[in-house]
C-alpha cells in the first residue's frame, strides 16, 4: 500500500474542503453531449485563441462555443461547406499556432469557420446553402437542447441564452435588506 507523500497532504485536505464548498465533484471543464473536455483543455484553448486573436478570450466563451458546435456540425454535415479537420489544422498553423491543436481547439476553430461561412454574402447566395440557412432559423432552440454541463469554476450553462453565465454558489445568499 502506498503512502501519501507528506507534502501532498495539505493539497489533498484543501481539495477535499473546496469540493465540499462547491457542491460538485465535476473534474471536467465541460461535458457536451457526453464529450468531456478537461479543465486544462479549456484553459489551453483559451490561451491559444487569446494568442491567435491578439485579444483576451474568456474560458466562458470557449465553453459556450463548445456547446454550440454540435448544432453547426449537424447543419453543415455532408455539405460542400463542411469543415475538414485537416483544413482547420492548416488554418490554425497558418495563424501561428505552435504544436498540435486539441479537440476543443479544433471545435472553436470549426465554430469560427462556420460563423464566417454564415456571414459571407457570397456564400449565402449559393443554392447549396439553402438547406443550411433554413436550419439556422432554429439555431437558438437547437443550442438550448444540447446537454452541456459546466464545471462551476467557469459558471453555469444557460440553455436559453446558449452560453455560460456567472454562477453564484449556493452557500452565498443575499442579505435580507429591510
Amino acid at each position: 500500500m502506498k503512502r501519501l507523500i507528506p507534502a501532498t497532504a495539505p493539497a489533498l485536505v484543501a481539495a477535499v474542503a473546496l469540493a465540499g464548498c462547491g457542491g460538485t465533484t465535476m473534474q471536467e471543464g465541460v461535458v457536451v453531449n457526453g464529450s468531456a473536455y478537461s479543465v486544462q483543455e479549456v484553459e489551453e484553448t483559451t490561451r491559444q485563441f487569446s494568442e491567435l486573436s491578439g485579444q483576451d478570450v474568456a474560458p466562458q466563451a470557449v465553453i459556450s462555443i463548445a456547446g454550440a458546435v454540435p448544432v453547426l456540425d449537424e447543419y453543415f454535415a455532408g455539405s460542400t461547406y463542411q469543415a475538414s479537420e485537416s483544413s482547420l489544422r492548416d488554418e490554425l498553423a497558418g495563424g501561428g499556432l505552435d504544436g498540435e491543436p486539441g479537440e476543443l481547439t479544433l471545435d472553436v476553430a470549426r465554430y469560427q469557420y462556420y460563423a464566417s461561412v454564415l456571414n459571407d454574402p457570397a456564400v449565402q447566395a449559393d443554392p447549396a446553402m439553402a438547406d443550411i440557412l433554413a436550419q439556422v432559423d432554429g439555431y437558438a432552440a437547437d443550442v438550448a437542447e444540447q446537454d452541456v454541463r459546466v464545471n462551476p469554476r467557469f459558471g453555469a450553462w444557460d440553455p436559453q441564452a446558449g452560453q455560460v453565465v456567472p454562477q453564484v454558489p449556493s452557500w452565498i445568499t443575499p442579505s435580507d435588506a429591510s
Side-chain angles (χ1 to χ4, degrees):
M1 179 173 176
K2 287 188 169 183
R3 291 184 179 205
L4 285 177
I5 300 171
T8 62
L12 181 61
V13 169
V16 170
L18 287 175
C21 290
T24 184
T25 59
M26 184 171 182
Q27 298 298 310
E28 299 86 3
V30 63
V31 178
V32 180
N33 298 335
S35 296
Y37 302 100
S38 71
V39 169
Q40 293 78 17
E41 287 175 286
V42 170
E43 291 170 346
E44 178 66 8
T45 298
T46 300
R47 184 194 62 74
Q48 290 173 337
F49 277 94
S50 292
E51 287 178 9
L52 290 171
S53 69
Q55 300 175 0
D56 285 337
V57 174
Q60 293 78 8
V62 168
I63 293 169
S64 296
I65 288 170
V69 165
V71 172
L72 294 174
D73 281 341
E74 186 177 316
Y75 292 171
F76 283 88
S79 77
T80 58
Y81 293 99
Q82 184 175 10
S84 72
E85 188 171 314
S86 63
S87 67
L88 294 173
R89 288 178 184 280
D90 291 346
E91 186 70 29
L92 289 166
L97 180 68
D98 292 329
E100 283 294 310
E103 287 303 312
L104 186 55
T105 299
L106 289 170
D107 282 350
V108 173
R110 184 176 298 110
Y111 177 90
Q112 291 179 328
Y113 166 76
Y114 289 143
S116 70
V117 167
L118 289 169
N119 289 306
D120 184 339
V123 174
Q124 290 176 6
D126 183 349
M129 284 292 293
D131 289 340
I132 295 169
L133 292 173
Q135 292 178 65
V136 170
D137 288 338
Y139 176 77
D142 292 342
V143 170
E145 291 178 6
Q146 300 305 296
D147 179 19
V148 180
R149 291 183 293 124
V150 178
N151 187 311
R153 76 185 288 177
F154 297 117
W157 179 252
D158 180 345
Q160 276 56 49
Q163 64 184 9
V164 176
V165 297
Q167 178 177 345
V168 178
S170 60
W171 54 271
I172 297 178
T173 57
S175 63
D176 292 335
S178 300

